[in-house]
Amino acid sequence: MYLSKLFIPLLKENPSEAKIKSHQLMLRTGMIKQSSTGIYSWLPLGFKIMKKIEQIVREEQNKIGAQELLMPTIQSAEIWKESGRYDDYGEELLRIKDRQGKEMLYGPTNEELITEIFRASIKSYKSLPQLLYHIQWKFRDELRPRFGVMRCKEFFMKDAYSFDLNDEEAKKSYNKMFFAYLNTFKRLGLTAIPMAADTGPIGGDLSHEFIILADTGESKIYSDKRIFDIDISKHNDADDSIKELREKYDAFYAVTDNKFKKEDFEKKVKKENQLVTKGIEVGHIFYFGDKYSKPLKCSVDLQDGKKVDVKMGSYGIGVSRLVGAIIESKFTNNVMRWPESVAPFEVAIIPSLQKNDKSNYLKAKKIYNLLIKNKIDVLFDDTEDHLSAKFKKFDLIGIPYQIILGSKFTGDKFEFKEINGETETLFLDEIKKKLLNKRN
Ligand code: P5A
């Protein structure tokens, strides 16, 4: 892609309405545009990054055997009345009516709808367990939308739902998701720690929030800092291995503020290991047994002819929130660095270009063509901005690698710079190989 053709409305200054780094940068680099309070359009750069995050989330769900489907954003109020949440959910629920006066709502979550789908088709214990998910827009009429995509009204969520025969099996599903979440966040370049949390309007008595540390986070956390040293790579997706991993996490005190008890914290965690700080909730998982299956009459036949309400859990990841969360955790000294797994481009070509001298342009174009031929996703800055202005711009955009052609550039070797890191001088072929190797 040529920068001059890219729809990327860069702003020169930080927008005054944005209070935190991620919000400022997302507006400044033209990733999003506010359409009304708490509602955003995703412009090409932001959308591309979000789609990459979505794909990683999807792959890790598929790996544990979850099946993807797609439910609508608009739901009937009927099932919410059946579960009792139509009134309980309060003002956050956007209630609407169609032209026949039928009560509808814009889904803030999908426990009811998935239960209705399940009960209509699954009748026997033989079909269990099931793990279903979708990645879809949600709407919550938040009282105080703030921090851009971090707390907004319309947001993109991956939500999964598990259906099991009994508590024991259901806990296995919960653990599988727990494992998938740790792997997902790791692939996104984040260390997200599961913290015991309150269940709020979703319900149930077992729940973990996955938190990444950030001063601008809205969640206050209390933990034993040794929990950050757990190495998940030693575990695989066998039930026993995942159970062992969960036990490792459970051995350390780690809670969000609504679960915090001072006496417990001081008793269980030595002073030198105590960590009290703030974080961003990027995922949240729940086990709530028959909270929805009972009122919605979602049961299966057992072998002996009896019926049992299925045991359910639900599992959310804030896909759109993650875009902001990654920025919050990766932005240092005015330089952004997207993890390679979600970077909007793999490499940028940054030449110094002058109107009356085409030589640098032609060299840069040659590099561009070679990389494109090798299916490397590259952004070519073909504008005539001064090189120092280009560097500033690319520090904000955060593409992990840069190929730089200075004004007095001669020879066959190019400056290959890791953003915020080392610069090497390499032949074009070496650059190509390096970029292709980075993928593996
Ligand atoms: C779990 C899946 C649920 O809704 N039902 C289905 C359960 N959980 S949750 O914690 O309420 O939300 C899951 C994740 O969605 C993100 N999120 C938000 N992102 C941006 N703006 C919001 N207003 C917002 N609300 C929730 C969070 O990442 C949360 O962990």
Side-chain angles (χ1 to χ4, degrees):
M1 175 59 93
Y2 286 63
L3 186 62
S4 63
K5 304 265 182 333
L6 186 63
F7 187 87
I8 174 173
L10 294 173
L11 305 178
K12 284 222 159 50
E13 303 292 332
N14 277 337
S16 59
E17 75 267 27
K19 300 280 175 284
I20 63 170
K21 202 88 236 176
S22 57
H23 190 195
Q24 289 167 0
L25 274 170
M26 289 181 77
L27 292 170
R28 219 177 139 183
T29 58
M31 290 174 64
I32 51 169
K33 182 180 179 309
Q34 181 169 311
S35 118
S36 61
T37 309
I39 302 181
Y40 292 88
S41 297
W42 287 77
L43 307 185
L45 189 71
F47 191 59
K48 195 169 178 194
I49 294 167
M50 186 166 73
K51 284 281 149 186
K52 288 195 165 183
I53 296 173
E54 177 190 359
Q55 185 54 21
I56 289 176
V57 170
R58 174 177 289 117
E59 284 169 16
E60 294 302 317
Q61 292 292 292
N62 294 346
K63 267 190 205 158
I64 56 159
Q67 299 168 62
E68 186 170 10
L69 47 71
L70 184 60
M71 291 175 267
T73 51
I74 307 290
Q75 305 179 21
S76 156
E78 283 302 307
I79 42 173
W80 283 69
K81 287 183 180 165
E82 275 183 55
S83 75
R85 275 209 295 186
Y86 193 60
D87 294 325
D88 291 355
Y89 215 93
E91 303 257 45
E92 267 187 30
L93 187 62
L94 182 66
R95 297 161 170 88
I96 35 189
K97 279 191 181 150
D98 73 3
R99 63 167 79 197
Q100 270 94 34
K102 190 168 153 28
E103 288 175 298
M104 316 286 280
L105 55 94
Y106 192 128
T109 177
N110 283 56
E111 281 78 9
E112 284 79 358
L113 191 50
I114 196 82
T115 309
E116 193 205 26
I117 293 171
F118 191 90
R119 79 175 173 197
S121 18
I122 301 291
K123 304 288 179 205
S124 160
Y125 73 97
K126 289 184 196 148
S127 307
L128 295 180
Q130 288 285 344
L131 214 43
L132 301 169
Y133 76 98
H134 77 160
I135 307 177
Q136 176 64 291
W137 292 96
K138 304 288 183 291
F139 194 95
R140 293 182 186 171
D141 200 352
E142 294 276 351
L143 182 60
R144 266 182 231 96
R146 58 191 186 138
F147 301 157
V149 302
M150 300 293 236
R151 179 160 302 278
C152 46
K153 295 190 181 194
E154 192 183 40
F155 59 97
F156 205 38
M157 191 206 284
K158 183 286 300 179
D159 39 326
Y161 302 87
S162 62
F163 299 85
D164 284 279
L165 211 49
N166 53 45
D167 277 336
E168 198 191 332
E169 289 296 308
K171 296 269 160 69
K172 281 190 200 154
S173 298
Y174 186 91
N175 287 352
K176 260 191 195 170
M177 233 4 122
F178 189 96
F179 181 66
Y181 274 38
L182 292 169
N183 285 317
T184 305
F185 297 125
K186 191 174 174 199
R187 281 184 67 189
L188 296 172
L190 300 171
T191 308
I193 301 295
M195 310 245 166
D198 218 14
T199 55
I202 307 292
D205 49 21
L206 169 65
S207 161
H208 286 91
E209 279 182 21
F210 286 74
I211 306 266
I212 61 166
L213 299 188
D215 293 339
T216 48
E218 290 188 289
S219 310
K220 191 153 188 209
I221 55 143
Y222 301 82
S223 92
D224 186 323
K225 59 180 167 212
R226 291 172 300 168
I227 202 168
F228 285 85
D229 300 331
I230 296 175
D231 181 4
I232 63 168
S233 66
K234 294 206 169 72
H235 293 264
N236 59 45
D237 63 356
D239 285 342
D240 285 349
S241 180
I242 301 181
K243 190 161 170 261
E244 217 177 280
L245 179 62
R246 252 213 75 190
E247 284 163 3
K248 280 188 190 166
Y249 277 100
D250 279 353
F252 292 113
Y253 190 92
V255 302
T256 57
D257 54 355
N258 39 37
K259 284 264 175 190
F260 174 66
K261 289 205 180 74
K262 196 166 180 281
E263 318 81 79
D264 282 0
F265 186 50
E266 285 168 358
K267 201 164 81 194
K268 291 183 183 156
V269 191
K270 279 193 195 150
K271 193 116 199 115
E272 68 263 30
N273 293 328
Q274 289 178 3
L275 178 70
V276 180
T277 186
K278 284 189 190 156
I280 302 167
E281 175 202 325
V282 284
H284 199 163
I285 61 177
F286 302 81
Y287 177 58
F288 41 71
D290 57 12
K291 174 172 176 188
Y292 299 91
S293 55
K294 209 180 191 62
L296 287 162
K297 300 187 181 58
C298 177
S299 56
V300 289
D301 296 325
L302 293 175
Q303 215 163 0
D304 60 8
K306 285 191 190 132
K307 279 187 186 302
V308 64
D309 295 324
V310 293
K311 303 287 183 289
M312 292 173 58
S314 74
Y315 314 87
I317 290 184
V319 177
S320 50
R321 177 181 284 184
L322 269 167
V323 181
I326 293 175
I327 297 178
E328 289 298 324
S329 80
K330 302 285 171 198
F331 194 83
T332 48
N333 303 329
N334 289 325
V335 181
M336 175 61 205
R337 188 176 180 196
W338 289 106
E340 281 158 41
S341 57
V342 300
F345 293 92
E346 293 177 88
V347 59
I349 304 173
I350 311 178
S352 164
L353 298 179
Q354 273 124 31
K355 261 201 189 72
N356 42 13
D357 179 3
K358 284 268 169 256
S359 65
N360 253 11
Y361 179 84
L362 292 173
K363 276 180 208 140
K365 187 138 188 248
K366 197 175 138 209
I367 304 173
Y368 179 78
N369 289 340
L370 178 89
L371 297 181
I372 292 287
K373 213 170 113 199
N374 283 277
K375 302 208 163 29
I376 293 170
D377 195 10
V378 47
L379 181 61
F380 175 11
D381 189 344
D382 58 337
T383 68
E384 280 166 11
D385 290 350
H386 195 272
L387 207 49
S388 61
K390 289 189 176 185
F391 289 149
K392 272 203 189 129
K393 182 166 60 187
F394 278 91
D395 280 349
L396 290 180
I397 299 176
I399 298 166
Y401 300 100
Q402 305 177 341
I403 301 167
I404 300 161
L405 284 76
S407 55
K408 295 189 186 67
F409 176 79
T410 51
D412 300 328
K413 280 191 157 184
F414 300 88
E415 235 181 272
F416 182 71
K417 181 172 185 254
E418 188 168 335
I419 197 169
N420 220 357
E422 300 270 294
T423 303
E424 294 173 89
T425 318
L426 299 173
F427 288 114
L428 188 50
D429 203 46
E430 292 172 318
I431 293 178
K432 182 192 89 186
K433 281 199 189 115
K434 219 177 166 93
L435 288 169
L436 288 173
N437 281 339
K438 297 269 175 216
R439 288 183 178 166
N440 308 318

